[in-house]
Coordinates of all heavy atoms in Angstrom, one line a residue:
M261 N 3.9 -140.6 75.2 CA 4.7 -140.9 76.4 C 4.5 -139.9 77.5 O 4.4 -138.8 77.1 CB 6.2 -141.1 76.2 CG 6.7 -142.2 75.1 SD 8.5 -142.2 74.9 CE 8.8 -143.6 76.0
S262 N 4.4 -140.4 78.6 CA 4.2 -139.5 79.8 C 5.6 -138.8 80.0 O 6.6 -139.2 79.6 CB 3.8 -140.2 81.0 OG 4.9 -141.2 81.5
I263 N 5.5 -137.7 80.7 CA 6.7 -137.0 81.1 C 7.6 -137.9 81.9 O 8.9 -137.9 81.8 CB 6.5 -135.7 81.9 CG1 5.7 -134.7 80.9 CG2 7.7 -135.1 82.5 CD1 5.3 -133.4 81.5
R264 N 7.1 -138.7 82.8 CA 7.8 -139.7 83.6 C 8.6 -140.5 82.7 O 9.8 -140.9 82.9 CB 6.9 -140.4 84.6 CG 7.6 -141.4 85.5 CD 6.6 -142.0 86.5 NE 7.1 -143.2 86.8 CZ 6.5 -144.5 86.6 NH1 5.4 -144.4 86.2 NH2 7.1 -145.6 87.0
D265 N 7.9 -141.2 81.7 CA 8.5 -142.1 80.8 C 9.6 -141.4 79.9 O 10.7 -142.0 79.7 CB 7.5 -142.7 79.8 CG 6.5 -143.6 80.5 OD1 6.9 -144.2 81.6 OD2 5.4 -144.0 79.9
I266 N 9.4 -140.2 79.5 CA 10.4 -139.4 78.8 C 11.6 -139.3 79.7 O 12.8 -139.4 79.2 CB 9.8 -138.1 78.3 CG1 8.8 -138.3 77.2 CG2 10.9 -137.2 77.7 CD1 8.0 -137.2 76.8
R267 N 11.4 -138.8 80.9 CA 12.5 -138.7 81.8 C 13.2 -139.9 82.0 O 14.6 -139.9 82.0 CB 11.9 -138.2 83.2 CG 13.1 -137.8 84.1 CD 12.5 -137.1 85.4 NE 11.8 -135.8 85.1 CZ 10.7 -135.5 85.6 NH1 10.0 -136.4 86.5 NH2 10.1 -134.4 85.3
Q268 N 12.6 -141.1 82.2 CA 13.2 -142.3 82.3 C 14.0 -142.7 81.0 O 15.1 -143.2 81.1 CB 12.2 -143.5 82.6 CG 12.9 -144.8 82.8 CD 11.9 -146.0 82.9 OE1 10.6 -145.7 82.7 NE2 12.3 -147.1 83.2
Y269 N 13.5 -142.4 79.9 CA 14.2 -142.7 78.7 C 15.4 -141.9 78.5 O 16.5 -142.4 78.1 CB 13.3 -142.3 77.4 CG 14.0 -142.4 76.1 CD1 14.4 -143.6 75.6 CD2 14.4 -141.1 75.5 CE1 15.2 -143.5 74.4 CE2 15.2 -141.1 74.4 CZ 15.6 -142.3 73.8 OH 16.3 -142.3 72.6
I270 N 15.3 -140.6 78.9 CA 16.6 -139.8 78.8 C 17.7 -140.3 79.8 O 18.8 -140.4 79.4 CB 16.3 -138.3 79.2 CG1 15.3 -137.7 78.1 CG2 17.5 -137.4 79.3 CD1 14.8 -136.4 78.4
E271 N 17.3 -140.7 81.0 CA 18.2 -141.3 82.0 C 18.9 -142.6 81.3 O 20.0 -142.8 81.5 CB 17.5 -141.5 83.4 CG 17.1 -140.3 84.1 CD 16.3 -140.6 85.3 OE1 16.1 -141.7 85.6 OE2 15.8 -139.6 85.9
L272 N 18.0 -143.3 80.8 CA 18.5 -144.6 80.2 C 19.4 -144.3 79.1 O 20.6 -145.0 78.9 CB 17.4 -145.6 79.7 CG 16.5 -146.1 80.8 CD1 15.3 -146.7 80.2 CD2 17.3 -147.2 81.5
A273 N 19.2 -143.3 78.2 CA 20.0 -143.0 77.0 C 21.4 -142.5 77.6 O 22.4 -142.8 77.0 CB 19.3 -142.0 76.1
L274 N 21.4 -141.7 78.6 CA 22.5 -141.2 79.2 C 23.4 -142.3 79.7 O 24.7 -142.1 79.8 CB 22.3 -140.2 80.2 CG 21.6 -138.8 79.7 CD1 21.2 -138.0 80.8 CD2 22.6 -138.1 78.7
R275 N 22.8 -143.4 80.2 CA 23.6 -144.5 80.8 C 24.3 -145.3 79.7 O 25.1 -146.2 80.0 CB 22.7 -145.4 81.7 CG 22.4 -144.7 82.9 CD 21.5 -145.4 83.9 NE 21.3 -146.7 83.8 CZ 20.3 -147.4 84.2 NH1 19.2 -146.7 84.8 NH2 20.2 -148.8 84.1
G276 N 23.9 -145.1 78.4 CA 24.5 -145.8 77.4 C 23.9 -147.0 76.8 O 22.8 -147.4 77.1
D277 N 24.7 -147.9 76.1 CA 24.3 -149.1 75.4 C 23.8 -150.3 76.3 O 23.1 -151.0 75.7 CB 25.4 -149.6 74.5 CG 25.7 -148.6 73.3 OD1 24.8 -147.7 73.0 OD2 26.8 -148.8 72.7
D278 N 24.2 -150.2 77.5 CA 23.6 -151.2 78.4 C 22.1 -151.3 78.5 O 21.6 -152.1 79.1 CB 24.3 -151.1 79.7 CG 25.8 -151.6 79.7 OD1 26.2 -152.1 78.7 OD2 26.5 -151.3 80.6
T279 N 21.5 -150.1 78.2 CA 20.1 -150.0 78.4 C 19.3 -150.0 77.1 O 18.0 -149.8 77.1 CB 19.7 -148.6 79.0 OG1 20.2 -147.5 78.1 CG2 20.5 -148.4 80.3
I280 N 20.0 -150.5 76.0 CA 19.2 -150.6 74.8 C 18.0 -151.5 74.8 O 16.9 -151.1 74.4 CB 20.2 -151.2 73.7 CG1 21.3 -150.2 73.3 CG2 19.4 -151.6 72.4 CD1 22.3 -150.6 72.3
D281 N 18.2 -152.6 75.5 CA 16.9 -153.5 75.6 C 15.8 -152.8 76.3 O 14.6 -153.1 76.0 CB 17.3 -154.9 76.3 CG 18.1 -155.7 75.5 OD1 18.0 -155.6 74.2 OD2 18.7 -156.7 76.0
T282 N 16.1 -152.1 77.4 CA 15.0 -151.4 78.2 C 14.4 -150.3 77.4 O 13.1 -150.2 77.4 CB 15.6 -150.8 79.5 OG1 16.3 -151.9 80.1 CG2 14.5 -150.2 80.3
R283 N 15.2 -149.6 76.6 CA 14.7 -148.5 75.7 C 13.8 -149.2 74.6 O 12.7 -148.6 74.3 CB 15.8 -147.7 75.2 CG 16.3 -146.8 76.3 CD 17.5 -145.8 75.7 NE 18.7 -146.6 75.8 CZ 19.8 -146.2 74.9 NH1 19.7 -145.1 74.1 NH2 20.9 -146.9 75.0
L284 N 14.2 -150.2 74.1 CA 13.4 -150.9 73.0 C 12.1 -151.3 73.6 O 11.1 -151.1 73.0 CB 14.1 -152.1 72.5 CG 13.4 -153.0 71.5 CD1 13.0 -152.1 70.3 CD2 14.3 -154.2 71.1
K285 N 12.0 -151.9 74.8 CA 10.9 -152.3 75.4 C 10.0 -151.2 75.6 O 8.7 -151.2 75.5 CB 11.1 -153.0 76.8 CG 11.6 -154.4 76.6 CD 12.0 -155.1 77.9 CE 12.7 -156.4 77.7 NZ 13.2 -157.1 78.9
M286 N 10.5 -150.0 76.0 CA 9.7 -148.8 76.2 C 8.9 -148.4 74.9 O 7.7 -148.1 75.0 CB 10.5 -147.7 76.7 CG 11.0 -147.7 78.1 SD 12.1 -146.3 78.6 CE 10.8 -145.1 78.8
F287 N 9.7 -148.5 73.8 CA 9.1 -148.1 72.5 C 8.2 -149.0 72.0 O 7.2 -148.7 71.3 CB 10.2 -147.6 71.6 CG 10.7 -146.2 71.9 CD1 11.9 -146.0 72.5 CD2 9.9 -145.1 71.5 CE1 12.3 -144.7 72.8 CE2 10.4 -143.8 71.8 CZ 11.5 -143.6 72.4
T288 N 8.4 -150.3 72.1 CA 7.5 -151.3 71.7 C 6.2 -151.1 72.5 O 5.1 -151.3 71.9 CB 8.0 -152.8 71.8 OG1 8.5 -153.1 73.1 CG2 9.2 -153.0 70.9
H289 N 6.3 -151.0 73.8 CA 5.1 -150.7 74.6 C 4.3 -149.5 74.1 O 3.2 -149.5 74.0 CB 5.4 -150.6 76.1 CG 4.3 -150.2 76.9 ND1 3.3 -151.0 77.2 CD2 4.0 -149.0 77.5 CE1 2.4 -150.4 78.0 NE2 2.8 -149.2 78.1
Q290 N 5.1 -148.4 73.8 CA 4.5 -147.2 73.4 C 3.7 -147.4 72.0 O 2.6 -147.0 71.7 CB 5.4 -146.1 73.4 CG 4.9 -144.7 72.9 CD 3.9 -144.2 73.9 OE1 4.0 -144.5 75.1 NE2 2.9 -143.4 73.5
R291 N 4.3 -148.2 71.2 CA 3.7 -148.6 69.9 C 2.5 -149.3 70.1 O 1.4 -148.9 69.5 CB 4.6 -149.3 69.1 CG 4.1 -149.8 67.7 CD 5.0 -150.7 66.9 NE 5.3 -151.9 67.7 CZ 6.4 -152.6 67.5 NH1 7.2 -152.4 66.6 NH2 6.6 -153.6 68.3
D292 N 2.4 -150.2 71.0 CA 1.2 -150.9 71.3 C 0.1 -150.1 71.8 O -1.1 -150.3 71.5 CB 1.5 -152.1 72.3 CG 2.4 -153.2 71.7 OD1 2.6 -153.2 70.5 OD2 2.9 -154.0 72.5
V293 N 0.5 -149.1 72.8 CA -0.5 -148.3 73.3 C -1.1 -147.4 72.2 O -2.2 -147.2 72.0 CB 0.1 -147.3 74.4 CG1 -0.7 -146.1 74.7 CG2 0.5 -148.1 75.6
L294 N -0.2 -146.9 71.2 CA -0.7 -146.0 70.2 C -1.6 -146.8 69.2 O -2.7 -146.3 68.8 CB 0.5 -145.4 69.4 CG 1.3 -144.3 70.2 CD1 2.6 -143.9 69.5 CD2 0.4 -143.1 70.5
L295 N -1.3 -148.1 68.9 CA -2.0 -148.8 68.0 C -3.4 -149.1 68.6 O -4.5 -149.1 67.9 CB -1.4 -150.2 67.7 CG -0.2 -150.1 66.8 CD1 0.6 -151.4 66.7 CD2 -0.6 -149.6 65.4
A296 N -3.5 -149.3 69.8 CA -4.7 -149.6 70.6 C -5.6 -148.3 70.6 O -6.9 -148.4 70.2 CB -4.6 -149.9 72.0
Q297 N -4.9 -147.0 70.7 CA -5.7 -145.7 70.6 C -6.2 -145.5 69.3 O -7.4 -145.0 69.1 CB -4.8 -144.7 71.1 CG -4.5 -144.7 72.6 CD -3.5 -143.7 73.0 OE1 -2.7 -143.1 72.2 NE2 -3.4 -143.4 74.3
M298 N -5.4 -145.8 68.2 CA -5.8 -145.7 66.8 C -6.9 -146.6 66.6 O -7.9 -146.1 65.8 CB -4.6 -146.0 66.0 CG -3.5 -144.9 66.0 SD -2.0 -145.3 65.1 CE -2.6 -145.5 63.4
E299 N -6.9 -147.7 67.0 CA -8.0 -148.7 66.7 C -9.4 -148.1 67.4 O -10.5 -148.2 66.8 CB -7.9 -150.1 67.3 CG -8.9 -151.1 67.0 CD -9.4 -151.2 65.6 OE1 -8.7 -151.0 64.7 OE2 -10.5 -151.6 65.4
E300 N -9.3 -147.7 68.6 CA -10.4 -147.1 69.4 C -11.0 -145.8 68.6 O -12.1 -145.6 68.4 CB -10.0 -146.7 70.8 CG -11.2 -146.2 71.6 CD -10.8 -145.9 73.0 OE1 -9.7 -146.5 73.6 OE2 -11.4 -145.1 73.6
M301 N -10.0 -145.0 68.1 CA -10.4 -143.8 67.3 C -11.1 -144.2 66.0 O -12.0 -143.6 65.6 CB -9.2 -142.9 67.0 CG -8.7 -142.3 68.2 SD -9.8 -141.1 69.0 CE -9.7 -139.8 67.7
R302 N -10.5 -145.3 65.4 CA -11.2 -145.7 64.1 C -12.5 -146.2 64.3 O -13.5 -145.8 63.7 CB -10.3 -146.9 63.5 CG -10.8 -147.4 62.2 CD -10.5 -148.7 61.8 NE -10.9 -149.8 62.8 CZ -12.1 -150.2 63.0 NH1 -13.0 -149.8 62.1 NH2 -12.5 -151.1 63.9
H303 N -12.7 -147.0 65.4 CA -14.1 -147.5 65.7 C -15.1 -146.2 66.0 O -16.2 -146.2 65.6 CB -14.0 -148.4 66.9 CG -15.3 -149.0 67.2 ND1 -16.1 -148.4 68.3 CD2 -15.9 -150.2 66.7 CE1 -17.3 -149.2 68.2 NE2 -17.1 -150.2 67.4
T304 N -14.6 -145.2 66.8 CA -15.4 -144.0 67.1 C -15.7 -143.3 65.8 O -16.9 -142.9 65.6 CB -14.6 -143.1 68.1 OG1 -14.3 -143.9 69.3 CG2 -15.4 -142.0 68.4
L305 N -14.8 -143.2 64.9 CA -15.0 -142.5 63.7 C -16.1 -143.4 62.9 O -17.0 -142.8 62.2 CB -13.8 -142.3 62.8 CG -14.0 -141.7 61.4 CD1 -14.5 -140.4 61.5 CD2 -12.6 -141.7 60.8
E306 N -15.9 -144.5 62.7 CA -17.0 -145.4 62.2 C -18.4 -145.3 62.7 O -19.3 -145.2 61.9 CB -16.5 -146.9 62.3 CG -17.3 -147.9 61.5 CD -16.7 -149.3 61.7 OE1 -15.5 -149.5 61.2 OE2 -17.4 -150.2 62.2
T307 N -18.5 -145.3 64.0 CA -19.7 -144.9 64.6 C -20.3 -143.6 64.2 O -21.5 -143.5 63.9 CB -19.6 -145.0 66.2 OG1 -19.1 -146.4 66.5 CG2 -20.9 -144.9 66.8
V308 N -19.5 -142.6 64.2 CA -20.0 -141.2 63.8 C -20.3 -141.2 62.4 O -21.3 -140.6 62.0 CB -18.9 -140.2 64.2 CG1 -19.2 -138.8 63.5 CG2 -18.6 -140.1 65.6
E309 N -19.6 -141.8 61.5 CA -20.0 -141.8 60.1 C -21.3 -142.6 59.9 O -22.2 -142.1 59.1 CB -18.9 -142.6 59.3 CG -17.6 -141.7 59.2 CD -16.5 -142.5 58.4 OE1 -16.5 -143.7 58.3 OE2 -15.6 -141.8 58.0
Y310 N -21.5 -143.7 60.7 CA -22.8 -144.3 60.6 C -24.0 -143.4 61.1 O -25.0 -143.3 60.4 CB -22.8 -145.6 61.4 CG -24.3 -146.2 61.7 CD1 -24.9 -146.8 60.6 CD2 -24.9 -145.9 62.8 CE1 -26.2 -147.3 60.7 CE2 -26.3 -146.4 63.0 CZ -26.9 -147.1 62.0 OH -28.1 -147.5 62.1
K311 N -23.8 -142.7 62.1 CA -24.8 -141.8 62.6 C -25.1 -140.6 61.6 O -26.2 -140.3 61.5 CB -24.4 -141.2 64.0 CG -24.4 -142.2 65.2 CD -25.9 -142.7 65.4 CE -26.0 -143.5 66.7 NZ -27.3 -143.8 67.0
C312 N -24.0 -140.2 61.0 CA -24.2 -139.1 60.0 C -25.1 -139.7 58.9 O -26.1 -139.0 58.4 CB -22.8 -138.7 59.4 SG -21.9 -137.6 60.5
W313 N -24.7 -140.9 58.4 CA -25.6 -141.5 57.3 C -27.0 -141.7 57.9 O -28.0 -141.4 57.1 CB -25.0 -142.9 56.9 CG -26.0 -143.6 56.0 CD1 -26.1 -143.6 54.7 CD2 -26.9 -144.7 56.5 NE1 -27.2 -144.4 54.3 CE2 -27.7 -145.0 55.4 CE3 -27.3 -145.1 57.8 CZ2 -28.7 -146.0 55.6 CZ3 -28.2 -146.1 57.8 CH2 -28.9 -146.5 56.7
F314 N -27.1 -142.2 59.1 CA -28.4 -142.5 59.7 C -29.4 -141.2 59.6 O -30.5 -141.2 59.1 CB -28.3 -142.9 61.1 CG -29.6 -143.2 61.8 CD1 -30.2 -144.6 61.7 CD2 -30.4 -142.2 62.4 CE1 -31.3 -144.9 62.4 CE2 -31.5 -142.5 63.1 CZ -32.0 -143.9 63.1
Y315 N -28.8 -140.1 60.1 CA -29.5 -138.8 60.2 C -29.7 -138.1 58.9 O -30.7 -137.5 58.6 CB -29.0 -137.9 61.3 CG -29.3 -138.4 62.6 CD1 -28.3 -139.0 63.5 CD2 -30.7 -138.4 63.1 CE1 -28.7 -139.5 64.7 CE2 -31.0 -139.0 64.4 CZ -30.0 -139.5 65.1 OH -30.4 -140.0 66.4
E316 N -28.7 -138.3 58.0 CA -29.0 -137.8 56.6 C -30.2 -138.5 55.9 O -31.1 -137.9 55.3 CB -27.7 -137.9 55.7 CG -26.6 -137.0 56.1 CD -25.3 -137.4 55.6 OE1 -25.1 -138.4 54.9 OE2 -24.2 -136.6 55.8
T317 N -30.1 -139.8 56.1 CA -31.2 -140.6 55.5 C -32.5 -140.4 56.3 O -33.6 -140.2 55.5 CB -31.0 -142.2 55.8 OG1 -29.7 -142.5 55.1 CG2 -32.1 -143.0 55.2
A318 N -32.6 -140.1 57.5 CA -33.8 -139.6 58.2 C -34.3 -138.3 57.8 O -35.5 -138.1 57.6 CB -33.5 -139.6 59.7
R319 N -33.4 -137.4 57.5 CA -33.7 -136.0 57.1 C -34.4 -136.1 55.8 O -35.5 -135.5 55.6 CB -32.5 -135.1 57.1 CG -32.8 -133.8 56.6 CD -31.7 -132.8 56.5 NE -30.7 -133.4 55.6 CZ -29.4 -133.1 55.4 NH1 -28.9 -132.2 56.3 NH2 -28.7 -133.6 54.5
E320 N -33.8 -136.9 54.8 CA -34.4 -137.0 53.5 C -35.8 -137.6 53.5 O -36.6 -137.3 52.8 CB -33.5 -137.9 52.6 CG -32.2 -137.2 52.2 CD -31.3 -138.2 51.5 OE1 -31.7 -139.3 51.0 OE2 -30.1 -137.9 51.4
A321 N -36.0 -138.6 54.4 CA -37.3 -139.3 54.6 C -38.2 -138.5 55.4 O -39.5 -138.8 55.5 CB -37.2 -140.7 55.1
G322 N -37.8 -137.6 56.2 CA -38.6 -136.9 57.1 C -38.9 -137.5 58.5 O -39.8 -137.1 59.4
T323 N -38.3 -138.7 58.7 CA -38.5 -139.5 60.0 C -37.3 -140.4 60.2 O -36.7 -141.0 59.3 CB -39.8 -140.3 59.9 OG1 -39.9 -141.0 61.1 CG2 -39.9 -141.2 58.7
V324 N -37.0 -140.7 61.5 CA -36.0 -141.6 61.8 C -36.4 -143.0 61.7 O -35.7 -144.0 61.7 CB -35.4 -141.4 63.4 CG1 -34.7 -140.1 63.4 CG2 -36.5 -141.6 64.3
Q325 N -37.7 -143.2 61.4 CA -38.2 -144.6 61.2 C -37.7 -145.1 59.9 O -37.7 -146.4 59.8 CB -39.8 -144.5 61.2 CG -40.3 -144.2 62.6 CD -39.8 -145.1 63.8 OE1 -39.6 -146.4 63.6 NE2 -39.4 -144.5 64.8
A326 N -37.4 -144.3 59.0 CA -36.9 -144.7 57.7 C -35.7 -145.6 57.9 O -35.6 -146.6 57.5 CB -36.8 -143.5 56.7
P327 N -34.6 -145.0 58.4 CA -33.4 -145.9 58.5 C -33.6 -146.9 59.6 O -33.0 -148.0 59.4 CB -32.3 -144.8 58.9 CG -33.0 -143.6 59.5 CD -34.3 -143.6 58.8
K328 N -34.4 -146.7 60.6 CA -34.5 -147.7 61.6 C -35.2 -149.0 61.1 O -34.9 -150.1 61.5 CB -35.4 -147.2 62.7 CG -34.7 -146.4 63.7 CD -35.6 -145.9 64.9 CE -35.0 -145.2 65.9 NZ -35.9 -144.8 67.1
S329 N -36.2 -148.7 60.1 CA -36.9 -149.9 59.6 C -36.2 -150.5 58.5 O -36.8 -151.5 57.9 CB -38.3 -149.5 59.2 OG -38.3 -148.4 58.2
M330 N -35.1 -150.1 58.0 CA -34.4 -150.7 56.8 C -33.9 -152.0 57.2 O -33.4 -152.3 58.3 CB -33.3 -149.9 56.4 CG -33.6 -148.5 55.7 SD -32.1 -147.6 55.2 CE -32.8 -146.5 54.1
T331 N -34.0 -152.9 56.2 CA -33.5 -154.3 56.3 C -31.9 -154.1 56.2 O -31.3 -153.2 55.8 CB -33.9 -155.3 55.3 OG1 -33.4 -154.8 54.0 CG2 -35.4 -155.3 55.3
E332 N -31.3 -155.2 56.7 CA -29.7 -155.2 56.7 C -29.3 -155.0 55.2 O -28.3 -154.3 54.9 CB -29.2 -156.5 57.2 CG -27.7 -156.7 57.0 CD -27.0 -157.1 58.2 OE1 -27.6 -156.9 59.3 OE2 -25.9 -157.4 58.2
Q333 N -30.0 -155.6 54.2 CA -29.5 -155.4 52.8 C -29.7 -153.9 52.2 O -29.0 -153.6 51.3 CB -30.3 -156.4 51.9 CG -29.8 -157.8 52.0 CD -30.1 -158.4 53.3 OE1 -31.0 -158.3 54.0 NE2 -29.1 -159.3 53.8
E334 N -30.6 -153.3 52.9 CA -30.9 -151.8 52.5 C -29.9 -150.7 53.0 O -29.6 -149.7 52.6 CB -32.2 -151.4 53.0 CG -33.3 -152.1 52.1 CD -34.7 -151.7 52.8 OE1 -35.0 -151.9 53.8 OE2 -35.6 -151.2 51.8
I335 N -29.2 -151.3 54.2 CA -28.1 -150.5 54.8 C -26.8 -150.6 54.0 O -26.4 -151.6 53.5 CB -27.8 -151.1 56.3 CG1 -29.1 -151.1 57.0 CG2 -26.8 -150.2 56.9 CD1 -29.6 -149.8 57.4
P336 N -26.1 -149.4 53.8 CA -24.9 -149.6 53.1 C -24.0 -150.5 53.8 O -23.9 -150.7 55.0 CB -24.3 -148.2 53.1 CG -25.4 -147.3 53.3 CD -26.5 -148.1 54.1
E337 N -23.2 -151.5 53.0 CA -22.5 -152.6 53.5 C -21.5 -152.1 54.6 O -21.3 -152.8 55.7 CB -21.9 -153.3 52.5 CG -21.0 -154.5 52.8 CD -20.5 -155.3 51.7 OE1 -20.7 -155.1 50.6 OE2 -19.7 -156.2 52.0
R338 N -20.9 -150.9 54.4 CA -19.9 -150.4 55.4 C -20.5 -150.1 56.7 O -19.7 -150.0 57.7 CB -19.2 -149.2 54.7 CG -20.0 -148.0 54.6 CD -19.3 -146.8 54.0 NE -18.5 -146.2 55.0 CZ -18.3 -144.9 55.0 NH1 -18.8 -144.1 54.0 NH2 -17.6 -144.3 56.0
F339 N -21.8 -150.0 56.8 CA -22.3 -149.6 58.1 C -23.2 -150.8 58.7 O -23.6 -150.8 60.0 CB -23.4 -148.5 57.9 CG -22.7 -147.2 57.6 CD1 -23.3 -146.5 56.5 CD2 -21.6 -146.7 58.1 CE1 -22.8 -145.4 56.0 CE2 -21.1 -145.5 57.7 CZ -21.7 -144.9 56.6
R340 N -23.1 -151.9 58.2 CA -23.9 -153.1 58.6 C -23.3 -153.5 60.0 O -24.1 -153.9 60.9 CB -23.9 -154.2 57.7 CG -24.8 -153.9 56.5 CD -24.8 -154.9 55.4 NE -25.4 -154.5 54.2 CZ -25.5 -154.9 53.0 NH1 -24.7 -156.2 52.9 NH2 -26.1 -154.5 52.0
T341 N -22.1 -153.7 60.1 CA -21.4 -154.2 61.3 C -21.7 -153.3 62.5 O -22.0 -153.7 63.6 CB -19.9 -154.5 61.1 OG1 -19.7 -155.4 60.1 CG2 -19.2 -154.9 62.4
I342 N -21.4 -152.0 62.2 CA -21.6 -151.0 63.3 C -23.1 -150.9 63.8 O -23.4 -150.8 64.9 CB -21.1 -149.6 62.9 CG1 -20.9 -148.8 64.2 CG2 -21.8 -148.9 62.0 CD1 -19.8 -149.2 65.2
R343 N -24.0 -151.0 62.8 CA -25.3 -151.0 63.1 C -25.8 -152.2 64.0 O -26.5 -152.0 65.0 CB -26.2 -151.0 61.9 CG -27.7 -151.0 62.1 CD -28.5 -151.2 60.9 NE -29.9 -150.9 61.0 CZ -30.9 -151.5 60.5 NH1 -30.6 -152.4 59.6 NH2 -32.2 -151.2 60.7
R344 N -25.3 -153.4 63.6 CA -25.6 -154.6 64.5 C -25.0 -154.4 65.9 O -25.6 -154.7 66.9 CB -25.0 -155.8 63.9 CG -25.7 -156.4 62.7 CD -25.3 -157.8 62.3 NE -24.0 -157.8 61.9 CZ -23.5 -157.6 60.6 NH1 -24.3 -157.2 59.7 NH2 -22.2 -157.7 60.4
E345 N -23.8 -153.8 66.0 CA -23.1 -153.6 67.3 C -23.9 -152.6 68.1 O -24.1 -152.8 69.3 CB -21.7 -153.0 67.0 CG -20.9 -152.9 68.2 CD -19.5 -152.3 67.9 OE1 -18.8 -152.9 67.2 OE2 -19.1 -151.3 68.4
L346 N -24.4 -151.5 67.5 CA -25.2 -150.6 68.2 C -26.5 -151.1 68.6 O -27.1 -150.6 69.7 CB -25.3 -149.2 67.4 CG -24.1 -148.4 67.1 CD1 -24.3 -147.4 66.1 CD2 -23.5 -147.9 68.4
K347 N -27.1 -152.0 67.9 CA -28.4 -152.6 68.3 C -28.1 -153.8 69.3 O -29.1 -154.4 69.7 CB -29.1 -153.2 67.1 CG -29.6 -152.1 66.1 CD -30.1 -152.6 64.9 CE -31.5 -153.0 65.2 NZ -32.3 -153.6 63.9
G348 N -26.9 -154.0 69.7 CA -26.6 -155.0 70.6 C -26.7 -156.5 70.1 O -27.0 -157.4 70.8
E349 N -26.5 -156.6 68.8 CA -26.7 -158.0 68.2 C -25.4 -158.7 68.1 O -24.3 -158.1 68.1 CB -27.3 -157.9 66.7 CG -28.7 -157.3 66.8 CD -29.3 -157.1 65.4 OE1 -28.5 -157.4 64.4 OE2 -30.3 -156.6 65.3

């Protein structure tokens, strides 16, 4: 939450039970924001994990052409979706 939102929350809390609905809305909104951020971070981590696998495979083969030329079935299943996404498919 931003400092402004925290300040607003404190003011609402001090006003008492008449602001319960507003405070609930603040926290449900904050939950939604956090869930979206977590999903974005999960996707970023998935991309980084794929890139680590890609370059580990390239290092073992001595060339980036090795992982680039792999068929979908040769790619570990957990990376297939992100690979397609990165290739713009």
Side-chain angles (χ1 to χ4, degrees):
M261 293 180 103
S262 68
I263 292 178
R264 180 177 154 234
D265 289 341
I266 293 169
R267 187 175 295 134
Q268 180 184 10
Y269 168 76
I270 291 169
E271 289 171 7
L272 291 167
L274 291 172
R275 288 180 18 205
D277 291 344
D278 290 343
T279 64
I280 288 173
D281 286 341
T282 305
R283 288 182 275 162
L284 175 59
K285 286 178 187 172
M286 288 180 73
F287 280 100
T288 55
H289 172 74
Q290 185 63 29
R291 178 183 58 203
D292 293 344
V293 167
L294 290 171
L295 288 170
Q297 289 174 342
M298 289 170 61
E299 178 57 26
E300 185 177 332
M301 292 293 289
R302 185 206 55 78
H303 186 265
T304 301
L305 177 59
E306 185 177 300
T307 302
V308 169
E309 287 176 343
Y310 168 75
K311 289 295 190 176
C312 287
W313 169 84
F314 181 94
Y315 287 108
E316 287 166 357
T317 303
R319 182 181 61 195
E320 289 172 17
T323 178
V324 295
Q325 293 307 313
K328 280 184 178 182
S329 64
M330 288 181 166
T331 66
E332 177 128 344
Q333 284 65 36
E334 293 174 302
I335 303 293
E337 187 174 348
R338 67 183 277 217
F339 297 132
R340 291 176 188 168
T341 302
I342 195 71
R343 181 185 191 212
R344 284 191 302 270
E345 185 180 303
L346 291 172
K347 289 176 84 176
E349 297 176 2

